[in-house]
Structure formats: C-alpha cells, structure tokens
Amino acid sequence: MSVQINKIDENTYAIENLEDTQIVYELCELFNIKVRINNNLVIISDVTNIESFNKWRTNLPHPKIDYIDAENVYQCFATTSLYLEKLKLQFSHLSADNIIVINDTIFIPTNTTDLYPIRNGQITINHPYSQDNPYLSLELKGNDAIPYTVSFKCFYSSLGLLIYDLLIGLEETDYQKGILVLYMTKLYWILYYSLLGDTEERFIVGL
C-alpha cells in the first residue's frame, strides 16, 4: 500500500499508511527535518512542500533531471543507505510508489516492509514484491523464491537504476553502455559501481 500525504496547514503534513513510523521519523531527522510521531502518523512541519516521488517527477520542468540534481538525489539515498547499514539494516529495493519528496530536494523511502536486518553481509527477503517495479534490484528480477537471501548490496543496484532512469532513461538496458555518456564524471563511477553484476563489487561512491 502506498503512503498517503495529507496537508494539515501551510507548512505541516501528515504521512499515513506507514508500516514503521519510527524508521521514517529517523530518516527525516537525518536530514534535519522537523518531525514528530502522533499515534500512527508521522507529522512533518516547517517545510514548503511534500509530495510523492511520482508527482514530483510529473512536475519536473524537463523529462530528465540534470547532473547536479542527479548528484543530489543520489546523495540523499546514499546517506540513508549508510545510516541504515550502521544500524545493520538495508532496503531490498526502492519503489517509486513509496518515496516522499520534501522541499523538492530530500527523498525519503517509505517502503519499510522491504527493510531487512543485515546478517553476515546478507538480507533475507520474506515479503512479496512486484516484478513490474522498474527499480527492482538486479538480483530480484525474475526471482520468485520467498524467502530469498542475497547480499545487502543488492540495494545499490536499485538506487543505481533510479538515478539511471532519471538521468538517462531505462530504454537503454545495457547499463554499462548507457552510462558512457557520463564517462570521466563522478556520476559515471557512481552508476558503474552501483550496477555491476557482482554484488560484492558494488559500493557507495562518496560525493
């Protein structure tokens, strides 16, 4: 189920339908967002705007984002990923239906049913997921086994696909070929290491 965003007043929003309000609360705090929990709601205040990822993308002035914006989106998710890894947690993948965008610059994943504990460098996925998700981690594409144990770094490919789509487009399915337009830039190496076939070779590139 997708989260629901309700505007309370000019600068305050309530986020509903969350499986884990505490994690979303912590991720908002990570970006210095004023946030509190009220019953099963996450209340975010002192912000200009909150919208779903899909609405944010629809409202973009151009079909693709530019290099600077791509770096910002990556930095948001990379910061989240590294924070969760310190807690021995990681998402199996991102979903466009479960990301909120705050002030057009901060991206918070809310699909906490897809957040799993890391044990010995791996996560065990026990929740069904959609094969129609364009940002599904490479290891999960075509997999129909539940539970399924995989490297926690599978998340990096999901993040890579999201950035690749926003910047280049998923029409080019040979990702290593597609990123050649970025060759010798930091984003090239970000996507290169995110989308490697060997999960153990993937890592978060610092900006």
Side-chain angles (χ1 to χ4, degrees):
M1 180 184 296
S2 300
V3 299
Q4 184 174 342
I5 303 168
N6 290 318
K7 189 171 185 177
I8 298 175
D9 60 37
E10 190 63 27
N11 302 109
T12 306
Y13 294 78
I15 313 300
E16 304 181 24
N17 295 338
L18 293 168
E19 284 287 331
D20 191 329
T21 54
Q22 183 62 34
I23 285 292
V24 174
Y25 168 87
E26 291 178 21
L27 296 183
C28 289
E29 278 208 320
L30 187 62
F31 295 97
N32 298 313
I33 298 296
K34 187 175 181 181
V35 60
R36 61 187 171 87
I37 296 175
N38 184 3
N39 296 321
N40 292 321
L41 305 178
V42 169
I43 309 297
I44 299 174
S45 54
D46 292 350
V47 295
T48 303
N49 183 50
I50 301 180
E51 57 191 350
S52 69
F53 177 86
N54 289 324
K55 185 175 180 182
W56 168 81
R57 187 167 190 182
T58 298
N59 292 335
L60 287 173
H62 303 286
K64 297 290 184 286
I65 63 175
D66 63 24
Y67 186 97
I68 300 300
D69 287 340
E71 283 193 334
N72 175 68
V73 177
Y74 177 81
Q75 182 65 54
C76 281
F77 286 113
T79 299
T80 294
S81 176
L82 295 174
Y83 171 77
L84 291 173
E85 286 170 28
K86 289 181 180 179
L87 301 178
K88 299 296 182 184
L89 297 169
Q90 187 55 282
F91 286 100
S92 59
H93 61 276
L94 292 169
S95 168
D97 295 330
N98 287 285
I99 299 170
I100 60 173
V101 185
I102 303 172
N103 294 342
D104 291 322
T105 58
I106 298 171
F107 298 78
I108 305 291
T110 59
N111 55 319
T112 53
T113 53
D114 302 309
L115 184 65
Y116 298 100
I118 299 172
R119 297 188 179 94
N120 299 319
Q122 296 184 311
I123 58 175
T124 297
I125 298 164
N126 52 33
H127 186 269
Y129 49 84
S130 172
Q131 289 288 337
D132 295 328
N133 177 3
Y135 307 141
L136 193 62
S137 302
L138 298 180
E139 290 69 34
L140 305 187
K141 292 180 182 292
N143 174 65
D144 58 5
I146 298 288
Y148 183 59
T149 299
V150 65
S151 169
F152 75 91
K153 294 182 180 182
C154 70
F155 172 78
Y156 299 171
S157 66
S158 182
L159 171 54
L161 288 171
L162 183 145
I163 303 298
Y164 184 95
D165 185 32
L166 291 175
L167 192 61
I168 297 169
L170 293 172
E171 296 80 12
E172 176 55 76
T173 57
D174 183 341
Y175 308 127
Q176 299 302 331
K177 177 182 176 183
I179 63 175
L180 287 175
V181 296
L182 303 168
Y183 191 60
M184 297 302 288
T185 68
K186 182 153 282 189
L187 273 174
Y188 171 83
W189 296 111
I190 283 172
L191 293 176
Y192 177 85
Y193 284 111
S194 296
L195 296 170
L196 283 173
D198 184 349
T199 54
E200 295 309 312
E201 296 296 320
R202 296 178 195 157
F203 62 88
I204 294 289
V205 175
L207 289 174

mmCIF file of all heavy atoms in Angstrom, residues 11 33 72 101 106 163 174 188-189 203:
data_model
loop_
_atom_site.group_PDB
_atom_site.id
_atom_site.type_symbol
_atom_site.label_atom_id
_atom_site.label_comp_id
_atom_site.label_asym_id
_atom_site.label_seq_id
_atom_site.Cartn_x
_atom_site.Cartn_y
_atom_site.Cartn_z
ATOM 1 N N ASN A 11 2.439 24.690 6.218
ATOM 2 C CA ASN A 11 3.793 24.132 6.310
ATOM 3 C C ASN A 11 3.875 22.819 7.066
ATOM 4 O O ASN A 11 4.962 22.399 7.472
ATOM 5 C CB ASN A 11 4.728 25.150 6.991
ATOM 6 C CG ASN A 11 4.778 26.481 6.256
ATOM 7 O OD1 ASN A 11 4.249 27.479 6.740
ATOM 8 N ND2 ASN A 11 5.382 26.490 5.078
ATOM 9 N N ILE A 33 14.968 17.489 9.324
ATOM 10 C CA ILE A 33 13.564 17.834 9.120
ATOM 11 C C ILE A 33 12.855 17.831 10.474
ATOM 12 O O ILE A 33 13.053 16.925 11.286
ATOM 13 C CB ILE A 33 12.890 16.820 8.173
ATOM 14 C CG1 ILE A 33 13.553 16.852 6.791
ATOM 15 C CG2 ILE A 33 11.395 17.083 8.064
ATOM 16 C CD1 ILE A 33 13.418 18.150 6.060
ATOM 17 N N ASN A 72 22.356 15.159 -6.264
ATOM 18 C CA ASN A 72 21.595 15.410 -5.034
ATOM 19 C C ASN A 72 20.707 14.223 -4.684
ATOM 20 O O ASN A 72 20.654 13.799 -3.515
ATOM 21 C CB ASN A 72 20.743 16.676 -5.172
ATOM 22 C CG ASN A 72 19.852 16.892 -3.962
ATOM 23 O OD1 ASN A 72 20.323 17.167 -2.862
ATOM 24 N ND2 ASN A 72 18.546 16.739 -4.159
ATOM 25 N N VAL A 101 8.966 13.153 -1.265
ATOM 26 C CA VAL A 101 9.938 14.181 -1.621
ATOM 27 C C VAL A 101 9.606 15.443 -0.834
ATOM 28 O O VAL A 101 8.496 15.972 -0.944
ATOM 29 C CB VAL A 101 9.922 14.471 -3.137
ATOM 30 C CG1 VAL A 101 11.024 15.465 -3.496
ATOM 31 C CG2 VAL A 101 10.083 13.184 -3.935
ATOM 32 N N ILE A 106 14.744 16.502 -0.827
ATOM 33 C CA ILE A 106 15.024 15.431 0.139
ATOM 34 C C ILE A 106 14.103 14.261 -0.164
ATOM 35 O O ILE A 106 12.880 14.408 -0.219
ATOM 36 C CB ILE A 106 14.825 15.920 1.587
ATOM 37 C CG1 ILE A 106 15.805 17.057 1.893
ATOM 38 C CG2 ILE A 106 15.018 14.774 2.579
ATOM 39 C CD1 ILE A 106 15.549 17.754 3.214
ATOM 40 N N ILE A 163 18.573 6.424 -10.402
ATOM 41 C CA ILE A 163 19.353 7.543 -10.916
ATOM 42 C C ILE A 163 19.513 7.431 -12.431
ATOM 43 O O ILE A 163 19.375 8.415 -13.169
ATOM 44 C CB ILE A 163 20.737 7.597 -10.239
ATOM 45 C CG1 ILE A 163 20.601 7.701 -8.713
ATOM 46 C CG2 ILE A 163 21.560 8.758 -10.802
ATOM 47 C CD1 ILE A 163 19.893 8.944 -8.235
ATOM 48 N N ASP A 174 21.402 -1.874 -21.673
ATOM 49 C CA ASP A 174 22.806 -2.180 -21.455
ATOM 50 C C ASP A 174 23.368 -1.013 -20.639
ATOM 51 O O ASP A 174 23.816 -0.004 -21.185
ATOM 52 C CB ASP A 174 23.544 -2.324 -22.787
ATOM 53 C CG ASP A 174 25.002 -2.726 -22.610
ATOM 54 O OD1 ASP A 174 25.547 -2.548 -21.492
ATOM 55 O OD2 ASP A 174 25.612 -3.201 -23.587
ATOM 56 N N TYR A 188 29.390 8.896 -13.532
ATOM 57 C CA TYR A 188 29.723 7.681 -14.277
ATOM 58 C C TYR A 188 30.146 6.591 -13.307
ATOM 59 O O TYR A 188 29.666 5.457 -13.380
ATOM 60 C CB TYR A 188 30.839 7.948 -15.288
ATOM 61 C CG TYR A 188 31.367 6.675 -15.924
ATOM 62 C CD1 TYR A 188 30.716 6.095 -17.004
ATOM 63 C CD2 TYR A 188 32.506 6.033 -15.412
ATOM 64 C CE1 TYR A 188 31.188 4.916 -17.576
ATOM 65 C CE2 TYR A 188 32.981 4.857 -15.968
ATOM 66 C CZ TYR A 188 32.318 4.302 -17.055
ATOM 67 O OH TYR A 188 32.776 3.122 -17.596
ATOM 68 N N TRP A 189 31.057 6.918 -12.383
ATOM 69 C CA TRP A 189 31.558 5.914 -11.452
ATOM 70 C C TRP A 189 30.500 5.507 -10.432
ATOM 71 O O TRP A 189 30.445 4.351 -10.018
ATOM 72 C CB TRP A 189 32.826 6.430 -10.765
ATOM 73 C CG TRP A 189 33.933 6.633 -11.745
ATOM 74 C CD1 TRP A 189 34.478 7.809 -12.145
ATOM 75 C CD2 TRP A 189 34.593 5.604 -12.496
ATOM 76 N NE1 TRP A 189 35.442 7.595 -13.090
ATOM 77 C CE2 TRP A 189 35.549 6.250 -13.327
ATOM 78 C CE3 TRP A 189 34.485 4.217 -12.548
ATOM 79 C CZ2 TRP A 189 36.377 5.541 -14.191
ATOM 80 C CZ3 TRP A 189 35.323 3.516 -13.415
ATOM 81 C CH2 TRP A 189 36.248 4.166 -14.218
ATOM 82 N N PHE A 203 29.640 -0.598 -4.440
ATOM 83 C CA PHE A 203 29.765 0.217 -3.224
ATOM 84 C C PHE A 203 29.223 1.605 -3.459
ATOM 85 O O PHE A 203 28.983 2.021 -4.602
ATOM 86 C CB PHE A 203 31.224 0.248 -2.722
ATOM 87 C CG PHE A 203 32.205 0.871 -3.683
ATOM 88 C CD1 PHE A 203 32.439 2.244 -3.654
ATOM 89 C CD2 PHE A 203 32.926 0.086 -4.561
ATOM 90 C CE1 PHE A 203 33.361 2.816 -4.514
ATOM 91 C CE2 PHE A 203 33.862 0.661 -5.428
ATOM 92 C CZ PHE A 203 34.078 2.021 -5.392
#
